[in-house]
Amino acid sequence: EAFAAYPPMMEAFVAAAKAEGVKRLLLITNVYPYGLPQAPLVAEAHPRNPVMPKGEYRKAQEDILLAASAPGMETLSLRLPDFYGPGVENSLLTLAAKSAAAGTTGTLLGPADTPHEFVFTPDVGPVVKALLEHPGPVAGAYNLAGASVISQRALAELLYRAAGREPKLRVLPPWQQTLIGLFMPVLRELKDVRYLSETPVLLDDAKLRGLLPGLQKTPYEEGARLTVAAARRAPD
């Protein structure tokens, strides 16, 4: 229901922006609209064929935004992969970060060893600011890839090492996720996006790096250190 509201919300948002004379309108979105990857690296021109309703709604939301670009108001879409960072509560790595900080066993949702990428959330704000303040034309869609390709398990291990601990991880295979999802709505919802761990979408962000040559990405080791430090400061 929440995803179904995205397209009409975007229509209202675009109309309000036009009425208020907004010059640039930017949407932060994700890789759901791409669907299954048809290339090792997915650039902005990759076909968008969503494989589940959430992707369809995200695609419709983005289409409304990009179609509204016109003289006087540029519209942009920034597409992100999975993410992690200080205070993040809805990441594949949230439980692992908290467990690393506490010294307990962390849980990963398998498959956990396929190539993947994660954006460090504090890196996103400067990119948004740079796009909105860029002196030239910027309308269109842009990918923002992670610092490099890694696996969910490898990044979770970095979280433990940042905490000064040996990694203690358990991986829930897909069949266990399905079983537990019968009683946990949040886990049941994640079944729709499990394909991203099985056939991950790895982004090509050459277009964005060409526009913003000073683009900075936090290395995973440093991101892990900052994420664990924040988890230790968080109240129980």
Side-chain angles (χ1 to χ4, degrees):
E1 291 178 359
F3 276 76
Y6 287 173
M9 286 170 62
M10 182 53 70
E11 289 177 344
F13 191 45
V14 166
K18 287 181 178 178
E20 293 298 320
V22 171
K23 301 301 182 185
R24 278 185 182 158
L25 195 61
L26 184 146
L27 168 70
I28 300 175
T29 186
N30 57 28
V31 300
Y32 293 177
Y34 283 128
L36 295 174
Q38 299 178 23
L41 290 178
V42 172
E44 291 83 356
H46 184 283
R48 291 185 302 149
N49 298 310
V51 297
M52 40 67 164
K54 290 178 182 177
E56 294 283 358
Y57 291 129
R58 281 286 195 184
K59 179 177 181 296
Q61 176 193 37
E62 186 180 47
D63 287 346
I64 291 166
L65 174 85
L66 295 178
S69 194
M73 186 176 80
E74 289 185 302
T75 60
L76 306 86
S77 176
L78 185 63
R79 301 167 179 169
L80 309 184
D82 280 321
F83 51 88
Y84 76 109
V88 171
E89 289 294 330
N90 295 307
S91 166
L92 284 174
L93 294 165
T94 295
L95 292 178
K98 292 181 177 180
S99 298
T104 56
T105 300
T107 300
L108 302 179
L109 302 180
D113 297 299
T114 50
H116 212 78
E117 62 185 354
F118 295 84
V119 163
F120 186 59
T121 50
D123 289 344
V124 179
V127 173
V128 171
K129 184 175 186 292
L131 286 172
L132 291 177
E133 295 180 350
H134 195 277
V138 292
Y142 297 87
N143 291 337
L144 174 59
S148 62
V149 176
I150 195 169
S151 70
Q152 187 186 165
R153 188 195 301 272
L155 184 46
E157 290 176 348
L158 288 178
L159 291 167
Y160 275 85
R161 294 196 176 98
R165 310 181 193 278
E166 284 298 311
K168 295 193 294 183
L169 298 165
R170 61 170 172 265
V171 179
L172 287 183
W175 70 267
Q176 279 190 334
Q177 296 173 45
T178 300
L179 182 62
I180 298 172
L182 296 174
F183 311 99
M184 290 181 61
V186 172
L187 199 56
R188 184 164 62 247
E189 285 289 313
L190 290 175
K191 182 180 179 181
D192 285 349
V193 296
R194 190 180 298 154
Y195 75 95
L196 289 171
S197 294
E198 297 169 345
T199 53
V201 175
L202 303 178
L203 294 176
D204 178 351
D205 62 3
K207 178 182 176 183
L208 182 65
R209 287 184 284 107
L211 184 71
L212 306 176
L215 181 66
Q216 298 292 317
K217 298 180 183 179
T218 301
Y220 287 123
E221 291 82 358
E222 177 65 4
R225 185 187 69 79
L226 294 170
T227 300
V228 169
R232 281 177 163 161
R233 293 193 301 268
D236 294 335

